[in-house]
């Protein structure tokens, strides 16, 4: 029995050596198996140096128990104490891998594999691994021999004899030897098949790149040919049977577990294609059908087993195609799209623990390096390595990646790969998730040499390296472009002008020469401004390249920087507020409208800095806008100056709304694209309508104040919004549809009042359309009684008389969207009271009125559609477009508005929702109409944002069409999908309209 004092002392010593369960460790040390060495301090020190001392001690006791005889146990203990290399290797493995401890328990003599000290043992090659597997003649013995070889690799790894790159290369060499052994087993089992064919096994992925994990699928492609004189069909069937047998040998699970899955899904046509093809069949596929990612995968292709001559012929035949991949249309976009798709497919619950595929993970490094290889490897053969770190070193040597960036990326990649290795080594399971349990993180941290507070240190180092990877991933493609135009220190590598142009073309820049001139103007020199620009531009260039028109984004950025470069807050804003720079890049490359608005007053760029929390891009309410505009008008010295001030506010707020719309539609790193497209449409419509109303109110105040009447007109005066204005649904390019109503004040002659009102209207329209730096606001009063032939302004009594005697049903329909927007509020309210009986008639509409509306709609469809326009893509007048939805909703309002209060609204979507709630339209039909209306409105907004001028149909130009697609959420290359989706949505809406509106 152990004395209490000794127990306390031992307990403390065990804690100090890293044991987390000293009581259990003390019992194991007192076991019969360790009796001869329980007091040897060497053993305790060696256990304390492992990743998990508790695990190592438990594994050691199990191994001793498993020895077949006392002499074998004594041999192991003696060697363990006397030979430090074995002690470090064996305990290091036992403390890092429960799976290898299990293997040693099943095969207790395999510890001898760790005793060999010849120099060749330090870095064995394929041939030495083949010798280790030579006696494997069946799947079970192959698995045992494989684990024995894996044991020696793991021992060198955990003891630091090999670094992570060397370990990955050894694992790839062991995989090569294993594939050869498995193929030999398959050939021996079917000699008649082996005699008919030549079969080559091409390693892909990490095995092909000499950078394999402990547990990973081994990606392969099979190439088969008939031996001379054999039938090709029979030979390919024989080769397929051999390949399938080889895959089963490696993949099937036995009592010894499995080795790893052999994955042939990178072959042409994937799992749907034949397992084995001839070389000519492979070549034909890649020449005609292969996608960009398939050429990217071929970067790592390497013959590893089977017919060496055939394997080398395969690589030689396909290599030229690999280095032409960067010339394919949308090359960089395809690669980046594939990377985004990988991230999007990660379960939300795992993305923060995903070491390989998550943001800042291993795949970010690999994709960036491969992208650069494919672009520049066409001309520079030194870049053609399948190994990530070797390729990174070559890219740095050639000046394609900055040397400091390459060093940081190399360090981060090695750390993340080491984490991945040690996570997999524990159970020999294929995983890339960082464990959540504290005990697992403790073992992982200690295995990486983080002994002081290993859990905290591990998470700190992991996040630091992931942040480095993410930052460098974003700039690797762009930083050297700046070096190409900057003054570098003597001896510093830099991109040649030709290489810089190649990279810009690959990124989608149509005019690389102009782009390089812009970069030189922005980043050259030794000023503080140039230094900050050199920091910003690598990331900005990436965001520009992610748009439909990178050239426009870069040009616009240069213009803004030229205008604001000497302003102290501008570059500081972009540098210090992460959202501001990305928002600016998105806005400048999304089309013409927002950049044009910004160029007229570049200081509005400050609005972009608060989008991530301060409300910089949040639309301002009507009251706030009107208060600011009226205050500006009050400070002016005349009507023209007052309206100029009002138009200046309008320009700034239009930019705010457009920028918010672009950011909400495209999304940013910190702010994903808004999923509710209806909310975006409502926000834009409400913001532009409120801004238009406030501008009219300010203009009215300016004209009245400086028109000779003081602050009071001789007549009450109100402006009534109509159409999309009254419905709070204005777009960026919409005119302001209005009616003007007045009422003479007491004691004022009607002629005097009418003259004053007409003068006000005329002056308002003139001042709002004067050419200036601010966009004009066109006032359209064509919906007034008698249209263009009628008086511009009427008294309330005149409106009442006209509507009582002459009003037509279409005018009642137009009045459904009438709402006071400026001027005398009391007069506006009385106008609404006047028209309510017309737009919400008692008893609804008669049959004749319904027929009139349908006839008018049909005539409008046939007469007003522009000649040559595709009706199916016309957002306003085409089938399922805005007119179809709005007239259907308005017919329901005219018929049921008096009975259903919810229908008494000027807003289309609100009225549609009310009709659904009232049971006048089914939820499914309401959803179809709403979707079509929202989509058509978004298309119109997109066209205005992209082209800078209004349009009711999709643009014909490729870049403009692509930009509209990006706004609507379609990636490059999916314009056809966008048009198909619009036609499909509109077609479904037209079906509902035929039933509800036309009664079909």
């Amino acid at each position: 029995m152990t004395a209490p004092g000794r127990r306390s002392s031992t307990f403390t010593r065990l804690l100090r050596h890293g044991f987390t369960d000293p009581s259990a460790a003390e019992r194991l040390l007192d076991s019969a198996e360790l009796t001869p060495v329980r007091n040897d301090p060497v053993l305790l020190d060696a256990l304390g140096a492992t990743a998990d001392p508790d695990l190592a001690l438990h594994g050691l006791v199990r191994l001793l128990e498993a020895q077949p005889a006392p002499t074998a146990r004594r041999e192991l203990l003696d060697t363990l104490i006397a030979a430090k290399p074995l002690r470090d290797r064996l305990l290091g493995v036992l403390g890092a891998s429960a799976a290898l401890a299990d293997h040693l328990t099943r095969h207790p003599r395999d510890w001898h594999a760790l005793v060999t000290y010849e120099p060749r043992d330090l870095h064995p090659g394929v041939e030495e691994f083949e010798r280790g597997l030579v006696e494997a003649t069946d799947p079970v013995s192959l698995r045992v021999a494989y684990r024995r070889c894996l044991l020696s690799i793991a021992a060198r790894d955990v003891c630091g004899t090999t670094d992570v790159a060397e370990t990955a290369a050894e694992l790839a060499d062991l995989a090569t030897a294993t594939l050869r052994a498995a193929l030999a087993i398959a050939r021996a089992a079917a000699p008649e098949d082996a005699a008919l064919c030549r079969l080559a096994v091409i390693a892909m992925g990490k095995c092909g790149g000499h950078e394999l994990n402990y547990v990973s699928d081994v990606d392969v492609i099979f190439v088969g040919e008939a031996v001379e004189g054999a039938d090709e069909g029979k030979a390919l069937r024989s080769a397929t049977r051999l390949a399938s047998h080889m895959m089963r040998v490696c993949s099937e699970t036995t009592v010894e577990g499995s080795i790893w899955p052999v994955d042939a899904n990178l072959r042409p046509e994937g799992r749907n294609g034949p397992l084995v093809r001839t070389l000519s069949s492979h070549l034909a596929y890649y020449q005609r059908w292969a996608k960009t990612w398939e050429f990217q995968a071929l970067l790592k292709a390497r013959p590893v087993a089977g017919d060496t001559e055939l394997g080398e012929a395969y690589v030689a035949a396909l290599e030229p195609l690999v280095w032409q991949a960067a010339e394919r249309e949308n090359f960089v976009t395809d690669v980046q799209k594939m990377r985004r798709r990988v991230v999007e497919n990660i379960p939300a619950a795992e993305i923060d623990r995903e070491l390989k595929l998550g943001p800042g993970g291993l795949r970010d490094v690999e994709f960036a390096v491969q992208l650069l290889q494919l672009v520049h490897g066409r001309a520079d053969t030194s870049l053609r390595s399948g190994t990530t770190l070797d390729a990174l070193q070559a890219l740095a040597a050639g000046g394609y990646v900055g040397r400091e960036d390459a060093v940081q990326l190399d360090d981060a990649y090695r750390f993340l790969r080491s984490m991945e290795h040690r996570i997999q080594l524990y159970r020999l399971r294929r995983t890339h998730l960082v464990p959540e349990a504290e005990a697992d993180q403790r073992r992982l941290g200690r295995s990486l040499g983080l002994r002081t507070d290993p859990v905290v240190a591990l998470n700190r180092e992991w996040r630091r390296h992931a942040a480095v990877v993410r930052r460098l991933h974003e700039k690797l493609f762009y930083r050297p472009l700046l070096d190409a135009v900057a003054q570098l220190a003597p001896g510093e590598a830099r991109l040649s002008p030709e290489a810089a142009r190649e990279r810009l073309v690959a990124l989608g820049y149509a005019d690389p020469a102009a782009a390089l001139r812009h970069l030189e103007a922005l980043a050259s020199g030794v000023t503080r401004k140039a230094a900050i620009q050199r920091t910003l531009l690598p990331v900005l260039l990436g965001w520009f390249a992610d748009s439909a028109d990178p050239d426009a984004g870069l040009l616009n950025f240069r213009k803004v920087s030229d205008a604001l470069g000497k302003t102290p807050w501008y570059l500081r804003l972009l540098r210090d507020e992460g959202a501001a720079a990305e928002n600016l890049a998105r806005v400048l490359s999304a089309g013409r409208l927002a950049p044009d608005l910004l160029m007229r007053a570049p200081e509005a760029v400050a609005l972009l800095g608060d989008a991530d929390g301060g409300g910089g891009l949040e639309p301002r309410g009507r009251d706030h806008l009107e208060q600011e505009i009226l205050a500006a008008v009050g400070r002016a010295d005349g009507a023209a100056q007052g309206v100029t001030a009002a138009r200046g506010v309008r320009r700034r707020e239009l930019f705010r709304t457009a920028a918010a719309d672009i950011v909400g539609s495209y999304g940013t790193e910190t702010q994903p694209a808004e999923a509710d497209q209806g909310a975006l449409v409502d926000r834009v419509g409400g913001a532009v309508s409120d801004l238009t109303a406030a501008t009219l109110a300010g203009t009215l105040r300016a004209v009245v104040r400086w028109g000779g009447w003081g602050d009071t007109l001789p007549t009450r005066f109100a402006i009534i919004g109509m159409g999309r204005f009254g419905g709070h649904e204005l777009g960026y390019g919409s005119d302001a549809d209005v009616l003007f109503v007045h009422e003479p004040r007491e004691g004022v002659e009607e002629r005097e009042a009418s003259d004053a009102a007409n003068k006000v209207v005329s002056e308002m329209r003139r001042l709002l359309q004067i050419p200036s730096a601010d966009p004009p606001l066109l006032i359209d009063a064509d919906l007034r009684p008698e249209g263009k032939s009628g008086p511009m302004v009427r008294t309330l009594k005149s409106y009442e008389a006209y509507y009582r005697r002459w009003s037509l049903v279409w005018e009642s329909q137009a009045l459904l969207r009438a709402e006071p927007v400026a001027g005398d509020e009391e007069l506006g309210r009385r106008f609404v009271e006047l028209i309510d009986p017309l737009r919400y008639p008692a008893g609804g509409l008669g049959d004749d009125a319904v027929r009139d509306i349908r006839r008018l709609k049909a005539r409008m469809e046939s007469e007003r559609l522009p000649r040559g326009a595709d009706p199916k893509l016309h957002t306003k007048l085409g089938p399922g477009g805005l007119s179809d939805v709005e007239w259907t909703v308005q017919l329901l309002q005219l018929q049921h508005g008096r009975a259903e209060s919810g229908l008494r609204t000027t807003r289309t979507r609100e009225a549609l929702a009310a009709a659904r709630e009232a049971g006048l339209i089914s939820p499914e039909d309401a959803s179809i109409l709403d979707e079509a209306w929202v989509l058509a409105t978004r298309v119109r907004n997109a066209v205005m944002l992209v082209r800078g001028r209004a349009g009711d149909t999709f643009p014909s130009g490729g870049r403009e069409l692509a930009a509209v697609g990006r706004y609507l959420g379609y990636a490059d290359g999916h314009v056809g999908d966008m048009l198909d989706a619009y036609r499909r949505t509109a077609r479904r809406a037209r079906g509902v309209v035929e039933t509800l509106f036309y009664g079909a």
Side-chain angles (χ1 to χ4, degrees):
M1 184 173 178
T2 306
R6 178 179 175 274
R7 179 176 298 277
S8 175
S9 173
T10 304
F11 192 92
T12 303
R13 263 197 315 148
L14 291 171
L15 277 177
R16 191 169 63 249
H17 278 83
F19 288 87
T20 57
D21 190 352
S23 298
E26 194 171 4
R27 286 193 298 272
L28 288 174
L29 287 169
D30 286 340
S31 64
E33 286 74 20
L34 289 177
T35 298
V37 295
R38 69 158 59 104
N39 295 318
D40 195 323
V42 169
L43 178 62
L44 197 58
D45 290 342
L47 287 167
T50 65
D52 188 338
D54 301 89
L55 184 66
L57 177 57
H58 184 256
L60 177 60
V61 172
R62 289 177 64 208
L63 177 57
L64 288 167
E65 290 173 343
Q67 294 305 307
T71 54
R73 189 179 306 135
R74 186 72 241 185
E75 179 192 5
L76 172 56
L77 281 175
D78 290 345
T79 311
L80 185 70
I81 297 301
K84 185 179 187 304
L86 172 68
R87 184 167 63 247
D88 291 343
R89 289 179 174 194
L90 178 59
L91 295 182
V93 167
L94 293 175
S97 178
L100 288 178
D102 291 343
H103 171 82
L104 283 168
T105 302
R106 289 194 304 272
H107 304 280
R109 301 297 291 171
D110 275 4
W111 66 267
H112 288 89
L114 305 178
V115 182
T116 309
Y117 302 118
E118 291 88 347
R120 64 185 176 85
D121 176 59
L122 294 179
H123 304 292
V126 177
E127 292 75 13
E128 292 180 49
F129 285 127
E130 283 188 287
R131 283 195 289 272
L133 303 176
V134 70
E135 296 181 2
T137 57
D138 60 79
V140 174
S141 61
L142 181 60
R143 283 162 177 72
V144 174
Y146 175 83
R147 288 291 174 92
R148 187 182 304 120
C149 293
L150 193 66
L151 185 65
S152 64
I153 293 176
R156 287 187 292 274
D157 178 15
V158 297
C159 292
T161 307
T162 54
D163 66 16
V164 66
E166 292 168 332
T167 299
E170 289 185 12
L171 289 166
D173 285 342
L174 176 56
T176 297
T178 306
L179 289 170
R180 292 176 182 177
L183 183 56
I185 292 172
R187 286 179 178 276
E192 64 284 358
D193 284 334
L196 285 176
C197 66
R198 301 164 61 201
L199 178 65
V201 183
I202 312 297
M204 305 287 284
K206 290 188 178 299
C207 184
H210 265 104
E211 49 189 16
L212 198 61
N213 296 331
Y214 276 103
V215 188
S216 175
D217 292 356
V218 172
D219 297 306
V220 299
I221 285 177
F222 295 106
V223 190
E225 298 285 354
V227 299
E228 188 174 353
D231 177 77
E232 184 178 282
K234 289 183 178 179
L236 283 178
R237 287 192 289 274
S238 293
T240 300
R241 285 192 290 270
L242 288 175
S244 299
H245 192 170
M246 188 204 84
M247 294 173 69
R248 286 197 303 274
V249 169
C250 296
S251 306
E252 285 183 351
T253 301
T254 69
V255 292
E256 293 292 338
S258 66
I259 301 176
W260 19 248
V262 177
D263 188 342
N265 288 337
L266 290 178
R267 66 186 185 269
E269 300 179 76
R271 66 185 60 190
N272 297 319
L275 183 63
V276 182
R277 288 176 182 256
T278 62
L279 176 55
S280 59
S281 176
H282 275 285
L283 194 57
Y285 172 84
Y286 284 107
Q287 287 172 334
R288 297 183 61 188
W289 308 111
K291 297 181 174 60
T292 299
W293 70 264
E294 293 178 278
F295 293 106
Q296 185 179 353
L298 285 170
L299 271 172
K300 297 181 180 293
R302 177 173 65 93
V304 291
D307 191 298
T308 303
E309 183 181 347
L310 180 57
E312 290 175 349
Y314 172 89
V315 172
L318 292 179
E319 186 178 37
L321 299 181
V322 172
W323 303 111
Q324 294 168 12
E327 299 169 8
R328 295 163 64 93
E329 187 177 359
N330 297 322
F331 161 69
V332 171
T333 303
D334 286 346
V335 176
Q336 292 173 338
K337 188 192 309 178
M338 181 180 174
R339 174 67 188 118
R340 282 195 293 268
R341 194 159 56 241
V342 168
V343 174
E344 289 165 0
N345 288 334
I346 302 173
E350 296 180 358
I351 193 166
D352 289 337
R353 298 193 294 126
E354 177 56 70
L355 195 62
K356 176 182 178 182
L357 304 178
L362 292 162
R363 190 57 60 86
D364 271 352
V365 182
E366 294 159 358
F367 264 66
V369 169
Q370 290 164 21
L371 199 58
L372 292 173
Q373 284 182 276
L374 289 170
V375 170
H376 299 295
R378 291 173 291 175
D380 190 343
T381 57
S382 70
L383 305 180
R384 299 181 181 184
S385 170
T387 305
T388 301
L389 291 179
D390 290 348
L392 179 59
Q393 185 177 2
L395 286 165
Y400 305 100
V401 174
R403 291 175 179 173
E404 184 180 343
D405 290 346
V407 169
Q408 290 186 49
L409 204 62
D410 184 284
D411 287 345
Y413 188 72
R414 288 175 184 272
F415 182 85
L416 296 175
R417 283 302 302 274
S418 296
M419 280 186 70
E420 182 184 46
H421 277 189
R422 302 301 167 79
I423 290 169
Q424 293 183 349
L425 182 59
Y426 176 52
R427 292 288 187 191
L428 286 182
R429 290 177 182 166
R430 184 175 181 267
T431 180
H432 311 288
L433 294 178
V434 178
E436 294 180 291
E438 183 176 343
D440 291 330
Q441 291 192 7
R442 182 177 185 275
R443 180 184 58 257
L444 180 57
R446 283 174 59 89
S447 77
L448 297 171
L450 306 172
R451 297 304 173 90
T452 304
D453 203 350
V455 174
V456 172
L458 172 71
N459 282 280
R460 182 180 62 243
E461 289 300 296
W462 169 33
R463 300 302 181 189
R464 180 175 69 83
H465 284 296
V468 167
V469 168
R470 193 165 192 182
R471 176 174 58 83
L472 294 180
H473 172 76
E474 292 168 343
K475 81 175 210 179
L476 270 182
F477 223 72
Y478 312 106
R479 172 69 69 184
L481 288 169
L482 302 188
D483 295 342
V485 298
Q487 298 298 316
L488 299 183
E492 282 288 311
R494 62 189 287 172
L495 283 181
S496 67
E498 184 58 35
R501 281 192 291 273
E502 282 185 359
R503 188 174 293 196
L504 286 165
V505 170
L507 286 165
Y509 286 83
D511 189 349
L516 284 172
R517 288 195 299 272
H518 297 326
L519 292 176
E520 186 171 11
L522 288 163
S524 292
V526 296
T527 63
R528 179 175 175 275
K529 171 186 172 184
I532 297 177
Q533 293 280 29
R534 285 194 291 272
T535 300
L536 292 169
L537 275 166
V539 178
L540 288 171
L541 282 169
W543 287 324
F544 295 148
D546 193 37
S547 72
D549 195 348
D551 299 81
L554 181 56
L555 172 62
N556 289 331
F557 180 69
R558 181 181 175 183
K559 289 179 179 179
V560 172
S561 294
D562 287 346
L564 292 176
K566 294 182 180 179
T567 307
W569 56 264
Y570 166 64
L571 290 175
R572 186 170 63 246
L573 171 78
L574 299 185
R575 182 193 64 195
D576 298 341
E577 294 195 31
E582 185 173 3
N583 289 342
L584 179 61
R586 299 297 183 205
V587 166
L588 293 180
S589 55
R592 296 187 58 179
L593 178 65
D596 286 350
L597 292 169
L598 183 60
M599 297 310 168
R600 292 168 180 170
E603 64 276 3
V605 76
L607 299 175
L608 301 172
D610 295 327
D612 56 348
L617 293 182
E618 285 297 314
R620 302 166 79 189
R622 164 73 188 274
D623 292 343
H624 191 122
L625 290 169
E626 188 167 323
Q627 183 180 5
E628 180 183 3
I629 288 176
L630 292 177
V633 168
R635 293 190 296 269
D637 293 331
Q641 191 181 97
V643 175
T644 297
R647 290 176 66 180
V649 174
R650 178 172 178 264
R651 177 201 61 237
R652 183 197 70 211
E653 295 304 315
L654 277 176
F655 172 75
R656 188 198 303 270
T657 302
D661 189 12
I662 291 166
V663 171
S665 298
Y666 282 71
T668 66
E669 181 178 317
T670 57
Q671 183 175 336
E674 189 159 340
D676 186 352
Q677 308 302 330
L680 271 174
V681 165
D682 291 345
R683 188 184 308 157
V684 171
V688 177
S689 300
D690 285 346
L691 178 57
T692 300
T695 303
L696 290 178
T699 302
L700 176 61
R701 173 73 62 87
V703 169
V704 170
R705 171 167 292 185
W706 284 283
W709 301 290
D711 285 332
T712 305
L713 270 177
T715 185
R716 296 177 181 277
F717 185 87
I719 303 173
I720 311 299
M722 300 288 286
R724 299 180 78 80
F725 185 17
H728 297 257
E729 297 160 356
L730 286 181
Y732 300 109
S734 300
D735 296 344
D737 290 317
V738 299
L739 298 178
F740 297 108
V741 58
H742 77 105
E743 183 179 67
R745 296 186 186 277
E746 188 175 349
V748 177
E749 292 289 333
E750 186 165 323
R751 178 66 178 269
E752 178 187 356
S754 179
D755 287 345
N758 277 285
K759 184 177 179 182
V760 165
V761 171
S762 177
E763 187 68 358
M764 285 182 67
R765 299 181 76 187
R766 183 184 74 83
L767 291 175
L768 286 172
Q769 296 178 51
I770 290 177
S772 73
D774 302 312
L777 174 57
L778 302 180
I779 296 177
D780 187 341
D782 289 352
L783 291 176
R784 65 187 183 269
E786 302 177 74
K788 294 180 180 179
S789 303
M792 182 68 68
V793 188
R794 287 178 182 263
T795 63
L796 187 62
K797 287 183 179 179
S798 176
Y799 276 108
E800 190 274 334
Y802 175 84
Y803 287 137
R804 185 179 67 251
R805 299 179 60 189
W806 310 109
S807 177
L808 301 175
V809 67
W810 74 263
E811 291 177 296
S812 296
Q813 182 182 351
L815 289 171
L816 284 168
R817 309 184 83 180
E819 180 174 289
V821 293
D824 190 290
E825 293 182 6
E826 172 66 16
L827 182 59
R829 182 185 60 76
R830 288 163 55 205
F831 180 85
V832 169
E833 291 174 351
L834 167 67
I835 64 173
D836 271 352
L838 278 79
R839 55 183 180 176
Y840 309 125
L845 290 180
D847 292 342
D848 290 343
V850 172
R851 279 193 295 272
D852 286 344
I853 290 178
R854 288 171 175 167
R855 270 198 301 269
L856 181 61
K857 175 76 166 65
R859 191 173 76 226
M860 186 180 71
E861 289 177 8
S862 62
E863 295 177 358
R864 295 180 59 184
L865 194 70
R867 181 175 298 176
D870 182 352
K872 295 180 180 178
L873 293 176
H874 199 280
T875 61
K876 183 176 182 181
L877 301 175
L882 295 171
S883 176
D884 265 2
V885 177
E886 290 169 0
W887 282 58
T888 300
V889 172
Q890 288 161 15
L891 182 59
L892 292 173
Q893 289 180 285
L894 289 167
Q895 291 174 316
H896 305 284
R898 175 59 65 92
E900 298 291 342
S901 61
L903 290 172
R904 298 197 286 272
T905 174
T906 62
R907 307 181 187 214
T908 301
R909 297 188 72 213
E910 282 189 8
L912 184 57
R916 183 194 64 223
E917 291 297 320
L920 302 175
I921 181 173
S922 72
E924 180 182 1
D925 286 349
S927 177
I928 290 172
L929 293 182
D930 185 73
E931 180 184 5
W933 189 89
V934 167
L935 179 57
T937 303
R938 293 207 76 216
V939 172
R940 294 181 90 203
N941 285 343
V943 169
M944 184 65 187
L945 285 169
V946 169
R947 303 179 68 191
R949 61 181 187 275
D952 291 318
T953 190
F954 290 88
S956 56
R959 279 192 179 268
E960 289 182 343
L961 192 59
V964 170
R966 294 299 303 275
Y967 173 87
L968 295 177
Y970 291 88
D972 287 345
H974 289 270
V975 164
D977 294 339
M978 170 184 69
L979 298 178
D980 288 345
Y982 180 83
R983 293 189 186 99
R984 184 168 56 251
T985 301
R987 185 170 61 248
R988 293 173 66 213
R990 180 65 177 194
V992 175
V993 171
E994 293 283 357
T995 300
L996 292 180
F997 184 81
Y998 288 109

